[in-house]
Amino acid sequence: MNVFGSSGTRGVANEELTPEFVLRIAKSVGTAWRAERVAIARDTRRTGRMLADAAASGLASVGVDVERLGVLPTPGAQFYAEREGVGVMVITASHNPPQYNGVKLVGDDGVELTVADLREIESTLLAEAFDTAPWHATGRVREIEGVRETYVDELLSSVDRETIAEGGLTVALDPGHGAGSLTSPAFLRELGCRVVTVNGQPDGHFPGRDPEPIPENLEDLGRLVRASGADVGIAHDGDADRAIFFDETGTYLEGDATFAALAAAELEAGDTTVSAVNVSQRLVDVATDVGANLELTPIGSTNIITRIEELEANGRRVPIAGEGNGGIFFPGYRLARDGAYTAARFLELVAERRASEIVAPFDGYANVRRNIHYESTAERDAMLDAAANQAQAADAELNTRDGYRLDYGDAWVLARPSGTEPLVRIYAEAREETRAETLAADMHAALADAKAAA
Ligand code: MG
């Protein structure tokens, strides 16, 4: 049984993610970390306080002092962890719908736990090997005030305030009723922007939109950009570690395009950037143009974190990394995805040029996605063998870190089994729609033939 996926554990609150389960996770965390104190933060979800209370009880019962940070973006919890040298349990389901909740674990260095670290906690949990404390040694619980304010101060001291202020920008912000509702408006105003918001009040029912910052959830933000004459629109997910942007015409900007634009501004020759095997051709093109190395990991942000740490340990400079879903790392700031920081870095660019101009070079790529269902592991294995054969036969560079990715220089195709559903996903991308369609269709045909023969 895997309690933790690549980004902690998540489920429908009070069904899969019960207070009893969170209490056991907290006892495991307290036991495995052997720490004197552990902090707890949460996003705005309806069930957040209930689950944070369970976490506090669990930690105290194994003798750990508890620091309650209240509602805080995950990157704010990471800031606190690093500053105080204390691990944090973050009660959040990130971008998942309102009925979900979850637990993310942040180490005392401010970095999300790696899969290996999570396994240790998991084995403590499964063995129920808890260090239960005698009554007089149980942990104390105290509230910590003002963490949101110090987090905003830290953000302000980490970005180019002067450039942003000189831009005289109007920013339309949609924090989606999440944890960023309590920090990003103040941060952006302190940067000298005029800020207008939609879905700006913290509300665990998420009445205005679901927490995931995808185009169908962000139509109000597009309208707000147009109505207010804003220079840019910014949306967060529920725990504000991601930022998605709209340009000055109220048009949604692909996360891949803004990531590429930020990377183009950040990377220098000889640098390394890290993304996952479904990385966009846009980032491939930026890295090639600049003369930077691009390293691909299996999908999942903890894999990217692990690779950045390895590269930096080997003396490589990794100024930017991440994925096209708005989750971007600037390791020079902190090895954390931070939606507010990412927003400010984009504002540094918008202060000089229109948002539409910034992303124009990275716009207009064609992405094609196909899925093939399978009924049996025999069908699945036959399809993956076919993908391998297709890869061997193609005049392309093969990457097998997570599925089969074929890089053709100007385009790519990836065949990868889904982690959660009985299907193989095919992704293709090129500048020309026909090229992407052809690559996806060829892969699809090869897999379909193999499935029929299985
Ligand atoms: Mg998130």
Side-chain angles (χ1 to χ4, degrees):
M1 175 192 169
N2 276 5
V3 176
F4 297 105
S6 63
S7 51
T9 186
R10 290 197 204 147
V12 174
N14 243 10
E15 290 179 22
E16 297 147 297
L17 201 86
T18 60
E20 294 88 339
F21 183 49
V22 172
L23 181 118
R24 287 168 62 226
I25 292 175
K27 289 171 104 166
S28 312
V29 166
T31 301
W33 280 355
R34 293 176 195 90
E36 280 179 20
R37 57 192 186 121
V38 170
I40 299 172
R42 61 187 166 90
D43 68 19
T44 54
R45 285 165 198 275
R46 178 75 171 72
T47 54
R49 187 184 290 274
M50 171 183 82
L51 296 174
D53 288 348
S57 289
L59 288 166
S61 77
V62 294
V64 175
D65 288 339
V66 178
E67 300 181 352
R68 300 285 300 255
L69 309 182
V71 175
L72 190 63
T74 297
Q78 293 179 273
F79 150 74
Y80 185 82
E82 188 187 27
R83 192 190 68 177
E84 295 291 318
V86 58
V88 188
M89 288 184 71
V90 187
I91 308 298
T92 176
S94 190
H95 62 270
N96 286 136
Q99 66 272 29
Y100 282 74
N101 216 327
V103 181
K104 279 189 188 182
L105 296 173
V106 175
D108 60 12
D109 55 357
V111 179
E112 272 186 61
L113 256 54
T114 61
V115 174
D117 292 333
L118 291 172
R119 290 289 163 266
E120 189 194 343
I121 290 167
E122 198 168 278
S123 52
T124 306
L125 193 152
L126 295 177
E128 307 222 328
F130 308 131
D131 276 345
T132 303
W135 69 271
H136 56 86
T138 52
R140 292 184 171 86
V141 181
R142 66 192 180 112
E143 313 276 331
I144 307 290
E145 303 287 335
V147 181
R148 289 193 293 268
E149 290 75 10
T150 46
Y151 164 58
V152 168
D153 288 345
E154 153 92 358
L155 282 168
L156 287 166
S157 66
S158 306
V159 300
D160 186 350
R161 291 180 78 164
E162 206 171 313
T163 296
I164 296 169
E166 281 172 6
L169 302 173
T170 296
V171 176
L173 174 69
D174 180 352
H177 305 296
S181 312
L182 295 172
T183 47
S184 282
F187 170 52
L188 296 169
R189 282 190 191 103
E190 289 280 329
L191 286 173
C193 302
R194 181 170 84 92
V195 181
V196 291
T197 59
V198 61
N199 306 319
Q201 78 281 22
D203 189 328
H205 292 270
F206 300 90
R209 70 157 166 100
D210 265 15
E212 186 163 20
I214 50 177
E216 48 268 45
N217 290 337
L218 299 175
E219 286 170 9
D220 288 343
L221 178 59
R223 277 190 282 275
L224 180 62
V225 169
R226 288 188 288 273
S228 64
D231 297 287
V232 64
I234 300 168
H236 293 314
D237 67 333
D239 65 337
D241 57 354
R242 286 160 55 179
I244 283 291
F245 300 93
F246 281 63
D247 72 12
E248 74 284 356
T249 70
T251 303
Y252 170 85
L253 301 175
E254 298 281 347
D256 284 317
T258 47
F259 180 27
L262 287 162
E266 197 72 23
L267 288 172
E268 291 172 14
D271 284 346
T272 301
T273 183
V274 183
S275 191
V277 288
N278 59 348
V279 67
S280 169
Q281 185 67 28
R282 305 156 214 245
L283 189 68
V284 176
D285 288 349
V286 167
T288 306
D289 287 351
V290 173
N293 305 300
L294 169 61
E295 298 254 352
L296 301 184
T297 70
I299 291 171
S301 69
T302 50
N303 296 309
I304 294 178
I305 293 170
T306 303
R307 191 72 192 118
I308 294 170
E309 286 179 325
E310 288 166 2
L311 288 161
E312 289 188 331
N314 287 317
R316 304 272 285 277
R317 202 178 92 99
V318 187
I320 187 167
E323 295 174 277
N325 63 3
I328 300 178
F329 295 91
F330 293 87
Y333 161 64
R334 177 167 296 110
L335 194 46
R337 293 169 300 178
D338 187 323
Y341 181 82
T342 302
R345 297 306 304 270
F346 195 66
L347 292 182
E348 290 174 14
L349 305 180
V350 176
E352 313 272 353
R353 273 189 306 161
R354 280 187 234 278
S356 59
E357 288 170 31
I358 293 164
V359 298
F362 316 103
D363 222 0
Y365 284 65
N367 289 77
V368 177
R369 289 191 179 198
R370 295 267 173 83
N371 295 328
I372 306 188
H373 286 265
Y374 55 80
E375 305 291 335
S376 64
T377 29
E379 282 184 1
R380 185 193 104 131
D381 293 348
M383 286 201 285
L384 292 178
D385 287 345
N389 290 335
Q390 184 86 352
Q392 298 302 338
D395 182 20
E397 199 177 311
L398 173 63
N399 184 314
T400 58
R401 280 189 168 271
D402 187 3
Y404 295 88
R405 178 181 167 113
L406 282 65
D407 265 294
Y408 291 85
D410 66 320
W412 59 276
V413 60
L414 168 70
R416 172 181 182 270
S418 163
T420 52
E421 293 166 85
L423 47 88
V424 176
R425 297 186 193 279
I426 298 169
Y427 308 74
E429 187 185 35
R431 274 210 179 256
E432 290 78 32
E433 179 103 40
T434 51
R435 174 101 167 107
E437 289 282 4
T438 305
L439 286 173
D442 287 354
M443 182 63 86
H444 190 275
L447 267 53
D449 286 351
K451 179 181 155 182

